[in-house]
Structure formats: structure tokens, C-alpha cells
């Protein structure tokens, strides 16, 4: 898995490196290929009203100024409600956090073996890539990427997944298949496709 992460990391950063210029009048291209800072073996905790609201663990985090983005390698994260209940958790090989003026307006891009779970809703998403816009609450995968959604006894798989963070609405653009396991099916070991 470490080889895949390194390759994915290099594939993402190679265009930045290839676009570097030796023209010192245009040093922005040179600056964009070097991280502003790098953290190794990092654990991040966000607190709201003296309660942990978000945690993030990673072996390496790099922040860039131009464009304003932070990359998190092998991210493992959890989000908690105001009363400390686990709301969501997940992991991915590479997390890209695009920053605008306010962190709440950021866009999160998850790559490589993405798994997101909402235990209270018994829902799990698995994909190769997902994008989450924190402002709109919209979650989406590329049109050519397969996403698997499991919610209770329902499992669906398809391409071009889209949903809202809050609410039960979701859609797939193409190649949808799945199955439902009911309580009766669990006893008999059958499932409907």
C-alpha cells in the first residue's frame, strides 16, 4: 500500500514539478512546487466548546500556498457531535483540502481506497475518489468512478455518485446494481438482486 500511496502522491505532484520555471521574475511557479510546511506523524484535534469535534491522523501532511491546498497522506479521520457522539469516520490514501478564505468554505477531495461511515445511519461509502464541498454539503464521485453505498440491508454500486451530506437523497449516473437483504432474508440466507 505504501508503494501505491507514493506513486499516487508523485502522479499528483509531477505536473507541479514539471511546470517549475527558472525565470526568477516569475518565482510563483517555483514556490508552488515546494510545501510551505510538512508535518510528519501528525495528529490534529479540533475543539468546539471544550469538546472534540474532529480528529485527523496522518503520517505526513503538506501545506502549499499557491494554489492554497493541503495534502494529507493516509488520512484517518472522525467527526463528533456536540455531545461527543461519533457522527462520521473514514480513511483514504490521500486527502486534498482546497482552502479559500474560510476553512468552512473548503473543498475536500478524497483519493485511493476511500471509506466513509456514518454509524448512526448505518451507512458506508466506498470509492476510489470522492469530493465533498463543505459549503453546499454535496458529496460526489467522478462520472467514471465506481462508488458502493451500503445503508442497512441495502447495497448499491454505480458510477457518478452524488448526494447531500444531510438528507436521504442520492443518485448514480450510470451502471447501477445492488441488492437488498431483509430481516427474513438474513434468517434464510437469501438476498434480492
Amino acid at each position: 500500500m505504501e508503494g501505491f500511496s507514493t506513486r499516487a502522491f508523485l502522479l499528483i505532484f509531477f505536473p507541479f514539478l514539471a511546470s517549475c520555471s527558472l525565470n526568477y521574475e516569475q518565482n510563483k511557479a517555483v514556490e508552488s512546487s515546494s510545501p510551505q510546511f510538512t508535518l510528519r506523524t501528525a495528529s490534529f484535534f479540533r475543539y468546539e466548546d471544550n469538546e472534540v469535534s474532529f480528529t485527523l491522523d496522518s503520517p505526513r501532511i503538506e501545506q502549499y500556498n499557491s494554489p492554497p491546498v493541503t495534502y494529507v497522506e493516509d488520512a484517518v479521520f472522525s467527526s463528533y457531535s456536540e455531545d461527543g457522539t461519533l457522527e462520521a469516520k473514514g480513511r483514504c490514501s490521500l486527502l486534498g483540502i482546497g482552502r479559500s478564505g474560510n476553512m468552512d468554505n473548503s473543498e475536500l477531495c478524497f483519493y485511493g481506497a476511500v471509506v466513509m461511515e456514518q454509524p448512526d445511519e448505518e451507512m458506508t461509502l466506498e470509492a476510489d475518489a470522492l469530493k465533498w464541498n463543505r459549503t453546499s454539503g454535496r458529496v460526489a464521485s467522478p462520472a467514471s468512478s465506481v462508488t458502493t453505498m451500503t445503508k442497512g440491508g441495502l447495497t448499491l454500486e454505480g458510477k457518478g455518485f452524488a448526494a447531500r451530506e444531510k438528507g436521504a437523497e442520492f443518485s448514480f449516473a450510470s451502471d447501477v446494481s445492488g441488492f437488498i437483504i431483509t430481516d427474513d432474508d438474513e434468517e434464510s440466507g437469501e438476498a434480492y438482486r
Side-chain angles (χ1 to χ4, degrees):
M1 185 66 174
E2 184 177 310
F4 173 77
S5 296
T6 303
R7 283 190 301 253
F9 199 73
L10 289 174
L11 284 174
I12 289 170
F13 287 106
F14 184 74
F16 290 120
L17 296 174
S19 67
C20 289
S21 170
L22 294 177
N23 182 349
Y24 292 104
E25 293 177 31
Q26 297 177 0
N27 63 0
K28 288 185 179 180
V30 174
E31 289 176 13
S32 70
S33 66
S34 300
Q36 179 185 8
F37 66 83
T38 300
L39 299 173
R40 298 201 187 276
T41 315
S43 292
F44 171 79
F45 298 87
R46 181 178 180 181
Y47 286 84
E48 293 177 15
D49 297 326
N50 293 325
E51 296 290 333
V52 174
S53 62
F54 183 79
T55 64
L56 173 69
D57 291 304
S58 169
R60 185 168 74 193
I61 299 174
E62 292 185 345
Q63 183 170 326
Y64 293 80
N65 277 335
S66 181
V69 66
T70 300
Y71 292 105
V72 183
E73 183 181 332
D74 294 329
V76 176
F77 46 90
S78 299
S79 178
Y80 299 89
S81 65
E82 290 178 5
D83 67 357
T85 304
L86 178 66
E87 286 184 323
K89 64 181 181 175
R91 64 184 182 278
C92 64
S93 299
L94 183 66
L95 168 60
I97 306 169
R99 299 183 322 270
S100 56
N102 181 344
M103 182 59 180
D104 290 336
N105 293 331
S106 65
E107 188 168 78
L108 306 176
C109 297
F110 304 88
Y111 302 102
V114 181
V115 177
M116 298 177 128
E117 300 176 50
Q118 287 183 301
D120 61 333
E121 294 188 25
E122 297 181 12
M123 186 168 116
T124 303
L125 287 177
E126 296 180 54
D128 290 327
L130 284 174
K131 184 184 286 187
W132 174 37
N133 184 299
R134 293 183 60 162
T135 303
S136 67
R138 183 172 161 76
V139 177
S141 69
S144 61
S145 178
V146 174
T147 300
T148 303
M149 183 192 79
T150 304
K151 184 168 179 152
L154 172 68
T155 298
L156 293 174
E157 178 178 281
K159 294 181 179 178
F161 176 80
R164 293 240 179 246
E165 177 184 3
K166 304 291 184 195
E169 293 181 20
F170 62 89
S171 66
F172 289 93
S174 64
D175 299 338
V176 182
S177 64
F179 58 90
I180 298 172
I181 299 175
T182 64
D183 291 337
D184 294 337
D185 295 333
E186 285 181 0
E187 291 173 12
S188 67
E190 296 179 16
Y192 294 98
R193 292 187 182 267

